[in-house]
Amino acid sequence: QVQLVESGGGLVQAGGSLRLSCAASGRAFSSYAMGWFRQAPGKEREFVAFITGSGSNPLYASSVKGRFTISRDNAENTLYLQMNSLEPKDTAVYYCAAHVGGIYYARGAYNYWGQGTQVTVSS
């Protein structure tokens, strides 16, 4: 089992940047591939980015590819999401999650979730 706590959200103007962090505790962090998801008001939670336990092979939703970067520091038990060129459509609660098996972009493939951090992008 792993516990996850996100931080780093906030209010930013369009075109700006934010870096989200996800601090993990519990079972060996490096044994989990990790993902970021987001949920906008009135919408379903959607996949944003994925990274393997070793930090290789990052994968992204087409809507964020080229603007967002997922990374991790296994020595610090921390997952990151660097978000650049933010747009109002990126406004959502962002969640980190531990992948336990299955398709990397499916919510059902993740069993441990953080509480989320709000990102608001103003136009």
Side-chain angles (χ1 to χ4, degrees), residues 42 60 77-78 95 98 101 116:
Y60 300 94
N77 287 352
T78 305
Y95 300 88

Short mmCIF file of all heavy atoms in Angstrom, two decimals, residues 42 60 77-78 95 98 101 116:
data_model
loop_
_atom_site.label_atom_id
_atom_site.label_comp_id
_atom_site.label_asym_id
_atom_site.label_seq_id
_atom_site.Cartn_x
_atom_site.Cartn_y
_atom_site.Cartn_z
N GLY A 42 -17.93 18.88 -13.56
CA GLY A 42 -18.93 18.30 -14.44
C GLY A 42 -18.40 17.31 -15.45
O GLY A 42 -19.16 16.83 -16.31
N TYR A 60 1.78 10.52 -22.52
CA TYR A 60 0.95 11.68 -22.26
C TYR A 60 -0.36 11.62 -23.05
O TYR A 60 -0.42 11.04 -24.14
CB TYR A 60 1.69 12.95 -22.67
CG TYR A 60 2.98 13.17 -21.93
CD1 TYR A 60 4.19 12.74 -22.46
CD2 TYR A 60 2.99 13.82 -20.69
CE1 TYR A 60 5.38 12.93 -21.78
CE2 TYR A 60 4.18 14.01 -20.00
CZ TYR A 60 5.36 13.56 -20.54
OH TYR A 60 6.54 13.75 -19.85
N ASN A 77 11.04 9.82 -3.05
CA ASN A 77 9.66 9.31 -3.05
C ASN A 77 8.66 10.35 -3.55
O ASN A 77 7.59 10.54 -2.96
CB ASN A 77 9.25 8.85 -1.65
CG ASN A 77 9.91 7.55 -1.25
OD1 ASN A 77 10.57 6.91 -2.05
ND2 ASN A 77 9.75 7.17 0.01
N THR A 78 9.02 11.02 -4.65
CA THR A 78 8.19 12.10 -5.14
C THR A 78 7.98 12.01 -6.65
O THR A 78 8.94 11.73 -7.38
CB THR A 78 8.79 13.47 -4.79
OG1 THR A 78 9.00 13.55 -3.38
CG2 THR A 78 7.86 14.60 -5.19
N TYR A 95 -4.83 14.77 -9.80
CA TYR A 95 -4.60 13.66 -8.89
C TYR A 95 -3.39 12.84 -9.35
O TYR A 95 -3.24 12.59 -10.55
CB TYR A 95 -5.80 12.72 -8.86
CG TYR A 95 -7.09 13.34 -8.43
CD1 TYR A 95 -7.94 13.97 -9.33
CD2 TYR A 95 -7.48 13.29 -7.08
CE1 TYR A 95 -9.14 14.53 -8.92
CE2 TYR A 95 -8.69 13.84 -6.67
CZ TYR A 95 -9.50 14.46 -7.60
OH TYR A 95 -10.69 15.00 -7.18
N ALA A 98 -1.14 5.53 -8.12
CA ALA A 98 -0.20 4.42 -8.29
C ALA A 98 -0.82 3.34 -9.18
O ALA A 98 -1.92 2.85 -8.90
CB ALA A 98 0.19 3.84 -6.94
N GLY A 101 -1.83 -2.26 -12.39
CA GLY A 101 -1.97 -3.24 -13.46
C GLY A 101 -3.04 -2.82 -14.44
O GLY A 101 -4.05 -2.27 -14.05
N GLY A 116 -5.90 15.13 -4.32
CA GLY A 116 -6.03 16.09 -5.41
C GLY A 116 -5.55 17.48 -5.03
O GLY A 116 -5.55 17.86 -3.86
#
